[in-house]
């Protein structure tokens, strides 16, 4: 029995979470961790706009981003605005989703290597969510999502959230494995 349970965790799944209906709730916003980009963090020489100085998507990550976009399109889910961190892996993820024109948003940039900006960036992300109208897709990083929601995410995972009086409320999760 133990081997069966282990096998279930090792089998790749197309969809690991299926909270598509959460997107139909009033005020629902999709916030996504960029697709698979092997490694952790970025080199200390990171320069925004120079992809050679950053950790980037690999082919599995690119395929994952395309599959996520296709999953949204096949369900007829559209977004009024798509915002992304300025990091190359998030911009590429957002573009490969094919869900609309992508707008770079500094509030979604990673603060993994400099936690001193955590609170201000999280406040800016909350302000973005409150200010923008329509259905939003935000593509960002694990640390940003954790700071905003209190929940960790996997590469390519989409949390469905809604702005609330005490921050954000998590309505659901969608994960299409790489």
């Amino acid at each position: 029995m133990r081997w069966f349970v282990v096998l279930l965790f090792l089998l790749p799944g197309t969809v690991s979470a299926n909270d598509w209906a959460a997107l139909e709730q009033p005020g629902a916003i999709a916030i996504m961790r960029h697709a698979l980009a092997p490694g952790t963090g970025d080199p200390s020489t990171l320069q925004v706009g120079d992809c050679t100085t950053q950790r980037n998507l690999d082919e599995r990550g690119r395929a994952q981003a395309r599959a996520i976009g296709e999953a949204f399109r096949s369900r007829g889910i559209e977004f009024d605005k798509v915002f992304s961190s300025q990091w190359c892996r998030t911009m590429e993820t957002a573009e490969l989703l094919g869900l609309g024109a992508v707008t770079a948003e500094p509030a979604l940039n990673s603060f993994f290597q400099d936690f001193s900006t955590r609170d201000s960036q999280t406040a800016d992300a909350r302000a973005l969510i409150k200010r923008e109208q329509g259905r939003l897709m935000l593509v960002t990083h694990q640390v940003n999502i954790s700071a905003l929601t209190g929940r960790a995410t996997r590469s390519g995972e989409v949390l469905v959230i809604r702005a609330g009086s005490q921050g954000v409320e998590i309505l659901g999760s969608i994960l299409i494995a790489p």
Side-chain angles (χ1 to χ4, degrees):
M1 179 64 170
R2 185 179 338 169
W3 287 106
F4 178 72
V5 172
V6 170
L7 182 62
L8 286 177
F9 283 106
L10 294 177
L11 289 174
T14 303
V15 177
S16 301
N18 192 8
D19 294 330
W20 295 101
L23 285 164
E24 299 305 320
Q25 294 190 39
I29 295 168
I31 186 167
M32 176 183 175
R33 181 178 178 185
H34 60 78
L36 189 62
T40 304
D42 285 289
S44 60
T45 57
L46 178 136
Q47 294 176 26
V48 173
D50 183 351
C51 297
T52 65
T53 67
Q54 302 177 33
R55 184 166 57 96
N56 295 296
L57 300 183
D58 65 2
E59 285 308 315
R60 286 182 38 199
R62 290 181 189 95
Q64 182 185 29
R66 288 184 200 101
I68 293 165
E70 179 56 34
F72 278 95
R73 286 189 302 279
S74 71
R75 288 168 175 79
I77 299 169
E78 297 178 351
F79 293 90
D80 298 305
K81 296 182 182 173
V82 178
F83 291 98
S84 174
S85 154
Q86 295 173 300
W87 267 230
C88 294
R89 63 183 169 272
T90 56
M91 290 296 290
E92 186 176 16
T93 296
E95 290 164 0
L96 289 172
L97 291 172
L99 298 173
V102 179
T103 301
E105 175 53 57
L108 301 176
N109 288 352
S110 177
F111 51 79
F112 182 77
Q113 291 175 282
D114 182 6
F115 272 79
S116 70
T117 64
R118 178 185 190 268
D119 292 341
S120 64
Q121 281 187 244
T122 302
D124 290 347
R126 283 190 181 112
L128 171 73
I129 290 168
K130 287 184 181 180
R131 159 180 91 237
E132 294 296 331
Q133 300 295 309
R135 185 179 281 169
L136 307 179
M137 166 63 84
L138 311 176
V139 182
T140 187
H141 306 266
Q142 165 56 41
V143 291
N144 302 71
I145 295 170
S146 292
L148 189 64
T149 68
R151 178 160 166 205
T153 53
R154 294 177 53 191
S155 294
E157 185 172 0
V158 178
L159 291 185
V160 182
I161 62 173
R162 172 172 50 207
S165 60
Q166 303 298 318
V168 298
E169 170 189 8
I170 298 174
L171 304 174
S173 173
I174 299 163
L175 176 62
I176 298 175

